[in-house]
Amino acid sequence: MELTLKRTVQALAGLLILSAITQAIYTGLYMAEVDVPRQLMWGAEGLIFVLLAAFAGSALVDAKRYSLGFSAILVAGTLNVVQVGVGLTMFGPFFEAAGEVEGLQPAAGAVVAFSFMVYNAAKILLGLAAIVFGMAKMNGGAKALGGLTAVIGAIAMIANTLSMALGRDFSGSLPLAGGSGVLATLLLALCLSVAVKDD
């Protein structure tokens, strides 16, 4: 099956929107202390991220411009597959073992910390892509959307860098790193059409 760049970018935008929606739903359920169906949600996210990486790679090859933006989305999708995989395959066994053997608690904590570091790295890359495509959208005349996307992308990059360097609790109870990353992802999806117009 051969896809045009336009259809590839449309699929990429749809996958970015889906990933933002699933993360917002998961976070909302978690904060409301509702039992989250992790296997189902993380499994669905894993599929979204695998497809995201594939479509971003296809766009990277086909597009004449914005290689940095497409490359950032490709690597972010790949990192998110790793992060979801760690959650699905390692959280359960490590925490079960830590509940039985006291000395394993730091190891379980380290697995969670690694998962969040990968999560933050992916959000930094999506923030970078938001800056690239946001600035392109500004240059194309959509100054409000493009400017907002670039600013939120920069905030996501800074917040997730601080989260990687200082730990998940650097902003207290405010989910600044994850929230700005999800918003940057959503805005990025809205700006991707510029890649098709310029090619």
Side-chain angles (χ1 to χ4, degrees):
M1 177 177 67
E2 188 171 345
L3 292 174
T4 63
L5 178 61
K6 180 179 180 180
R7 288 183 179 171
T8 299
V9 170
Q10 286 173 340
L12 190 56
L15 289 164
L16 286 166
I17 291 169
L18 277 177
S19 72
I21 290 170
T22 58
Q23 289 178 41
I25 290 171
Y26 178 85
T27 302
L29 290 173
Y30 181 79
M31 291 178 75
E33 298 182 358
V34 175
D35 188 30
V36 180
R38 290 182 180 170
Q39 194 77 21
L40 178 63
M41 290 204 70
W42 288 354
E45 281 190 331
L47 173 61
I48 291 168
F49 293 137
V50 166
L51 293 174
L52 187 69
F55 278 93
S58 178
L60 179 61
V61 171
D62 287 343
K64 294 174 185 163
R65 302 179 67 188
Y66 313 117
S67 57
L68 178 60
F70 287 123
S71 175
I73 297 169
L74 166 61
V75 179
T78 305
L79 286 175
N80 272 319
V81 172
V82 173
Q83 188 258 338
V84 168
V86 169
L88 279 174
T89 64
M90 299 177 76
F91 279 13
F94 267 91
F95 278 102
E96 187 177 332
E100 296 175 8
V101 181
E102 188 176 335
L104 284 178
Q105 191 63 41
V111 170
V112 174
F114 170 71
S115 176
F116 272 96
M117 186 161 186
V118 175
Y119 172 86
N120 292 133
K123 289 290 182 273
I124 289 169
L125 288 167
L126 289 172
L128 175 60
I131 292 172
V132 169
F133 287 105
M135 291 176 69
K137 199 75 171 175
M138 283 178 66
N139 292 336
K143 297 197 181 301
L145 175 60
L148 179 63
T149 302
V151 168
I152 297 297
I155 292 170
M157 286 186 72
I158 293 166
N160 281 279
T161 299
L162 289 172
S163 187
M164 282 176 61
L166 304 175
R168 293 185 286 152
D169 300 325
F170 88 94
S171 60
S173 60
L174 185 67
L176 184 59
S180 62
V182 169
L183 184 54
T185 301
L186 190 58
L187 291 168
L188 165 61
L190 298 177
C191 288
L192 274 176
S193 62
V194 73
V196 177
K197 288 178 183 174
D198 280 8
D199 272 30

